Amino acid sequence: MTQIQKPFTTFIQTTIKNDFQIDENNLSKLMEKAVSLGGVNDIDREAAKMFILRNRRDISDVVEDRLDAFLNIQDEVLRTHAAEILSTSRIIDETTFIDLRHIYEAAVHGDDITNVAKLGLVDANIFEQELNYTTRILSTLNTEIAISLDNEVIFNGQKLSELDIHSAIQALTQFSTIIDKDRFNPLDRRGVGEQTIQNLFTALSELDERIASATVSTEMKKLYRAAQSSTMIAMATTLDSSKDLKKEICDTLVQLLENENDPLQKECMVIELSRNLNSLSRKAKSFVKKELTKIAPTKPPYEEWFKDGNNQLNVAMTIGPDPEALPGIFYQMNEFGFKLENPDDKRNPPDQIVFTKKIKRLGDTEPMDCRITVQVNHRDRIFSAMNDEDTHLVVYSGHSGFGRNVKKSLKNAPKNIGDKVVLLGLCAGKDNIQNFKRHYPGTQLMTTFTSSFYRTRNIDDQKTTTWSEDFNAMRVMLDAAAKQWSWKQINQSMRRKAATSFWHIMEDGENNYISPIHTQIRAKNLDQDFDGQVDELDKYFNTAMVIREEDDQLGMKAVEHDIPLENLHGGRFFQAIMGLNTMTGYNSSTSVYRLGGILGDGYFTPGSDEDPAFIFTPYQDGEGAKYKVQMNKNYAHLSEDSMRALAAFDFMQSVQFEKGFTPYQARMMGLIFATASLNYDSTMTWVDFNVWKDLLEYAGLPSDILYGDFRSVVDADHSNYTGSLAMISKIESKLTQDHKDALNTFVA
């Protein structure tokens, strides 16, 4: 479905949620009008019609007028904004809250103002009043930030210089939150000119001096630095490159980077600046590129590996317990010239097996000695060699278990000693980049984007791995060490030697292995400020995060709490969505999203008790089908398992029109996907049954639908691990008619 179709369907859905009535005659007339206006195509029309008919409501003239106004909005961006407000049930009329940010958005788009007013998104009188005073509103919820007639930025009615230090920092933090949540730079607007930017820059400089001469807590200073950098990046990207003011702001940004002492905050600032390189001054651009090499080293730490005349590369490799794995290691090592240090090891393999080989270096220099120690069936001890100072390369080749094998290994992993590179070869390692970085922040990691493949055949009546992407990836790393290749050269060699086919690549056409220099891809799999929003989307480094304590006993229900949205820790939510992201690649209906198609976008504040647990929004970045997902902050008490299962169920409901599912199929696929989510930890425990019970209650389904009936079918499929439409017929025989009737009842 196109971007136009989705807002239309969302609008229809939300209209129904708000108790408007619909009948078939008016519906037909309405749909014909929609098509004549070019607002939707036939597919979307039928999807909306099916949705409405299943609710058996009547349509009112009010709804028709609102839909007519919606379709008459010519600007697609504004149309999408309108749909997003409506999709969170914040229908605005005379008695409801006015979203000031969208007053401003409407002002920018001229002739569309009338249609936005008809929608009820703004109050026409207030809107005219704002225009008459030539005030541009840049705001969300209860925080008002305006540009006054004398080009000053006004924070809640006051200039920055008029606020005390604490209030000024809070105001700037709120402004940074707007920058973070707004899909556009809020300073890059008509009516926000160079003089306004100059005045804001002056106000920030004065605030700097006030903070320097006052007693301000370390936490407040950290909060200020995060808000200051976000605001200044927005300021810099607004101005033309020829402006002296832009150069002055960029010089300040360089100074902020130089002085930042929080490594994560500094890294996020560098990443955000690197996304805006073309908007920076020459000096700032050069400095950011230099800082980027510290975050993304251009090569492995060869100098440390081979210092003091050392000529031996030591590799610690772990393989899984599969029967073909160990024979495969013997076969592949032999194929590529490795020798057993102890020949008897093949007849009676010990816990650790050592292979050696001399690898040619460039020119006539002495070959590099390579020693590989392989440990078998220790996938919960992948990182056991990290505290060995003499080990240079740590390798894992085996199953991921949907990420659980790496997670289990990290729980008891030792501290790192020495400079290492870790190569994790498994079915989609990207979902643990965050966990790895937290445990080993300074260690260079290469891991898989999607599945890594291998081939087997019977040799001497024994199933044997004869070809493996992961083994070839390790060979590339050995050659790289011998020839001192950069990561760019390593990536090029990976494309040639460690991919089975053209489609088996990452989203940007790279190979299947994410290296340290794939900064943008890594940014889609990291959340370094723990706000639940991937770094790719994050423009503001949140600080002072507060964890909402896990409490599954509250069930899958919205439970209010007093943690502010900007301080709500999103660690469990982020990991749940990373798990969901991986799962999409192994379901026949969701595999289109396998290229990192679901991005965590933090929490949202619900407008009512009826708001959903998750909002899935189509997202286009030129790299295939994607969704951004936000979580209702009142569900933050859920465990990671519960979040992931609930998100899996809701995701199938969200894409049902796009996939052409009937309501029955959508709910069955949701339960199948949730079952696969609970399979994430491999063992069936009482926790799984409790989560399942809560999910059935959340979905309004009979409590006697058995988890085991779904689990047995999902476990039996070794192709589509997380679900397929074909599974539905296999499960149906285990359901009663009451179950089927309940599953066939459409719930919006």
Side-chain angles (χ1 to χ4, degrees):
M1 294 168 68
T2 65
Q3 286 181 320
I4 295 179
Q5 297 165 26
K6 177 64 180 178
F8 174 74
T9 305
T10 303
F11 176 81
I12 290 291
Q13 293 174 353
T14 311
T15 299
I16 295 168
K17 279 185 183 179
N18 284 270
D19 296 325
F20 292 108
Q21 296 183 328
I22 298 170
D23 69 33
E24 190 166 357
N25 291 331
N26 281 332
L27 171 66
S28 177
K29 175 184 174 185
L30 194 62
M31 293 298 103
E32 292 301 327
K33 181 180 291 187
V35 172
S36 70
L37 290 169
V40 292
N41 66 11
D42 290 341
I43 296 175
D44 203 12
R45 179 178 70 160
E46 289 305 312
K49 187 172 182 178
M50 180 181 73
F51 185 101
I52 294 168
L53 285 176
R54 289 188 180 278
N55 279 264
R56 300 183 178 90
R57 304 288 182 98
D58 297 325
I59 191 165
S60 69
D61 291 339
V62 174
V63 179
E64 184 168 356
D65 289 343
R66 288 168 62 83
L67 179 58
D68 197 8
F70 176 75
L71 294 171
N72 271 309
I73 297 176
Q74 298 301 308
D75 187 276
E76 188 171 314
V77 172
L78 185 55
R79 184 202 300 265
T80 303
H81 275 319
E84 286 175 350
I85 292 183
L86 297 171
S87 69
T88 56
S89 300
R90 289 188 289 169
I91 305 299
I92 312 296
D93 57 27
E94 303 82 33
T95 60
T96 54
F97 175 72
I98 297 172
D99 189 325
L100 295 176
R101 177 166 70 102
H102 287 81
I103 295 177
Y104 180 78
E105 292 294 343
V108 174
H109 292 288
D111 293 339
D112 278 334
I113 291 169
T114 304
N115 293 311
V116 175
K118 284 181 181 178
L119 272 175
L121 293 177
V122 298
D123 181 282
N125 293 329
I126 294 179
F127 178 75
E128 289 300 326
Q129 180 183 357
E130 296 297 337
L131 283 184
N132 290 338
Y133 283 99
T134 64
T135 301
R136 298 296 184 263
I137 304 298
L138 318 167
S139 68
T140 58
L141 303 179
N142 296 316
T143 304
E144 179 184 323
I145 297 169
I147 310 300
S148 68
L149 286 171
D150 56 350
N151 295 308
E152 290 282 358
V153 180
I154 306 299
F155 299 86
N156 292 324
Q158 291 182 283
K159 296 179 182 180
L160 202 62
S161 58
E162 296 171 343
L163 296 169
D164 62 72
I165 290 177
H166 185 273
S167 298
I169 293 175
Q170 290 293 342
L172 205 61
T173 299
Q174 291 163 352
F175 185 50
S176 296
T177 302
I178 294 171
I179 292 171
D180 190 29
K181 299 303 179 187
D182 198 329
R183 67 177 60 204
F184 305 105
N185 179 351
L187 288 174
D188 191 12
R189 294 288 191 268
R190 187 178 68 194
V192 181
E194 183 178 354
Q195 187 58 54
T196 301
I197 303 298
Q198 176 66 71
N199 291 343
L200 181 56
F201 182 59
T202 301
L204 286 172
S205 300
E206 291 172 352
L207 182 56
D208 263 345
E209 294 175 1
R210 290 164 61 195
I211 290 174
S213 60
T215 302
V216 181
S217 70
T218 301
E219 195 56 49
M220 285 301 291
K221 286 181 179 178
K222 185 176 179 181
L223 195 67
Y224 172 61
R225 295 198 308 272
Q228 183 186 26
S229 64
S230 295
T231 303
M232 285 200 169
I233 291 172
M235 292 161 64
T237 55
T238 299
L239 296 168
D240 184 87
S241 58
S242 63
K243 301 292 184 181
D244 290 338
L245 176 58
K246 185 188 190 81
K247 295 174 184 175
E248 195 174 351
I249 293 172
C250 286
D251 286 346
T252 305
L253 280 168
V254 168
Q255 189 176 358
L256 287 175
L257 261 180
E258 287 179 322
N259 296 336
E260 182 54 60
N261 54 23
D262 184 305
L264 287 182
Q265 192 161 328
K266 185 171 187 174
E267 180 171 335
C268 288
M269 187 178 175
V270 171
I271 293 296
E272 177 61 17
L273 283 166
S274 71
R275 284 198 289 261
N276 294 282
L277 273 181
N278 292 335
S279 298
L280 303 179
S281 65
R282 184 178 300 177
K283 176 183 176 181
K285 192 181 298 185
S286 175
F287 186 81
V288 170
K289 286 181 177 179
K290 179 182 176 183
E291 289 297 312
L292 201 57
T293 63
K294 298 177 183 178
I295 297 170
T298 58
K299 61 183 180 180
Y302 303 128
E303 289 82 1
E304 288 298 313
W305 290 357
F306 302 115
K307 67 182 180 181
D308 301 328
N310 176 50
N311 189 45
Q312 179 169 294
L313 181 75
N314 296 314
V315 182
M317 184 182 192
T318 301
I319 61 174
D322 305 86
E324 65 270 23
L326 183 56
I329 285 296
F330 284 123
Y331 178 88
Q332 291 175 94
M333 289 289 188
N334 182 65
E335 279 287 293
F336 295 105
F338 286 89
K339 304 296 183 184
L340 275 167
E341 190 172 72
N342 182 358
D344 290 338
D345 285 352
K346 188 170 184 180
R347 289 190 298 273
N348 187 23
D351 188 53
Q352 291 190 338
I353 307 165
V354 178
F355 297 87
T356 60
K357 181 182 178 179
K358 290 186 178 293
I359 299 177
K360 186 178 180 181
R361 292 182 180 272
L362 290 175
D364 297 326
T365 55
E366 181 184 357
M368 180 186 76
D369 292 321
C370 181
R371 190 173 192 270
I372 303 178
T373 303
V374 180
Q375 64 173 350
V376 186
N377 196 15
H378 287 291
R379 57 189 181 191
D380 59 343
R381 291 176 50 201
I382 295 170
F383 307 105
S384 59
M386 292 297 288
N387 60 354
D388 178 13
E389 187 175 9
D390 295 328
T391 295
H392 307 117
L393 179 63
V394 174
V395 179
Y396 173 66
S397 178
H399 291 299
S400 162
F402 290 137
R404 61 179 173 263
N405 292 335
V406 171
K407 285 178 103 173
K408 286 179 181 177
S409 289
L410 284 171
K411 279 185 179 179
N412 300 311
K415 291 183 178 180
N416 181 45
I417 300 176
D419 292 285
K420 293 179 177 61
V421 168
V422 174
L423 171 62
L424 299 179
L426 63 179
C427 286
K430 65 179 181 291
D431 53 0
N432 269 305
I433 291 177
Q434 171 99 346
N435 287 328
F436 180 89
K437 186 175 176 64
R438 287 178 66 185
H439 205 94
Y440 296 119
T443 303
Q444 298 185 43
L445 171 70
M446 172 171 267
T447 190
T448 48
F449 186 86
T450 182
S451 295
S452 59
F453 295 153
Y454 63 96
R455 302 186 189 119
T456 64
R457 73 170 189 260
N458 281 332
I459 299 177
D460 298 330
D461 294 325
Q462 191 170 34
K463 187 178 181 182
T464 302
T465 300
T466 56
W467 184 94
S468 162
E469 283 186 339
D470 295 336
F471 191 87
N472 285 350
M474 181 178 70
R475 287 177 54 215
V476 170
M477 292 304 302
L478 303 183
D479 285 341
K483 299 174 176 62
Q484 307 272 308
W485 285 344
S486 67
W487 279 115
K488 183 176 180 180
Q489 291 171 305
I490 292 171
N491 290 339
Q492 291 169 345
S493 186
M494 289 285 184
R495 276 199 296 272
R496 295 193 303 271
K497 297 179 180 179
T500 54
S501 62
F502 174 76
W503 69 266
H504 193 208
I505 56 176
M506 291 188 285
E507 56 193 60
D508 64 349
E510 277 285 2
N511 68 86
N512 188 38
Y513 292 85
I514 306 170
S515 76
I517 63 171
H518 287 123
T519 53
Q520 294 305 316
I521 293 173
R522 289 167 61 87
K524 294 175 183 176
N525 297 279
L526 286 170
D527 171 27
Q528 300 196 79
D529 60 354
F530 303 106
D531 63 351
Q533 185 181 46
V534 295
D535 290 352
E536 165 74 10
L537 302 174
D538 210 342
K539 301 176 187 175
Y540 169 60
F541 189 89
N542 294 67
T543 63
M545 306 306 288
V546 179
I547 297 175
R548 175 81 162 102
E549 290 303 319
E550 179 181 317
D551 191 354
D552 272 351
Q553 292 184 3
L554 295 173
M556 291 182 181
K557 299 181 179 70
V559 180
E560 293 186 6
H561 57 87
D562 57 4
I563 302 174
L565 188 70
E566 62 270 19
N567 298 122
L568 184 56
H569 196 286
R572 293 198 302 273
F573 164 67
F574 175 79
Q575 284 303 142
I577 297 308
M578 287 307 302
L580 182 65
N581 204 347
T582 298
M583 288 168 55
T584 60
Y586 303 95
N587 185 299
S588 60
S589 295
T590 61
S591 58
V592 65
Y593 308 111
R594 67 180 180 82
L595 295 181
I598 302 180
L599 303 179
D601 197 21
Y603 293 102
F604 71 92
T605 300
S608 76
D609 292 340
E610 301 301 316
D611 276 6
F614 297 94
I615 295 176
F616 293 89
T617 306
Y619 173 64
Q620 295 293 328
D621 67 352
E623 300 291 353
K626 284 184 173 60
Y627 276 88
K628 294 188 296 185
V629 55
Q630 290 182 305
M631 186 176 188
N632 185 327
K633 71 186 288 282
N634 290 338
Y635 287 83
H637 62 277
L638 294 178
S639 66
E640 183 183 325
D641 283 348
S642 289
M643 285 184 185
R644 192 174 56 247
L646 183 52
F649 179 83
D650 273 3
F651 183 63
M652 285 300 185
Q653 314 317 301
S654 179
V655 300
Q656 63 177 302
F657 294 121
E658 180 181 332
K659 298 299 176 185
F661 293 157
T662 65
Y664 176 76
Q665 289 173 324
R667 304 187 91 191
M668 283 290 283
M669 287 296 286
L671 291 178
I672 289 169
F673 209 30
T675 299
S677 167
L678 292 174
N679 198 16
Y680 211 75
D681 60 5
S682 77
T683 55
M684 192 185 296
T685 67
W686 63 269
V687 174
D688 294 349
F689 290 98
N690 285 341
V691 173
W692 181 260
K693 175 179 68 68
D694 291 341
L695 180 61
L696 293 177
E697 183 179 352
Y698 170 85
L701 294 171
S703 60
D704 59 346
I705 294 177
L706 297 180
Y707 170 57
D709 290 343
F710 280 77
R711 177 70 179 261
S712 61
V713 172
V714 172
D715 283 350
D717 194 315
H718 300 295
S719 177
N720 296 301
Y721 303 114
T722 63
S724 67
L725 286 170
M727 288 184 184
I728 293 177
S729 60
K730 297 176 181 178
I731 297 172
E732 280 178 329
S733 62
K734 305 178 182 185
L735 301 176
T736 68
Q737 190 57 49
D738 287 343
H739 293 162
K740 294 175 184 177
D741 290 343
L743 286 160
N744 201 39
T745 302
F746 191 91
V747 177

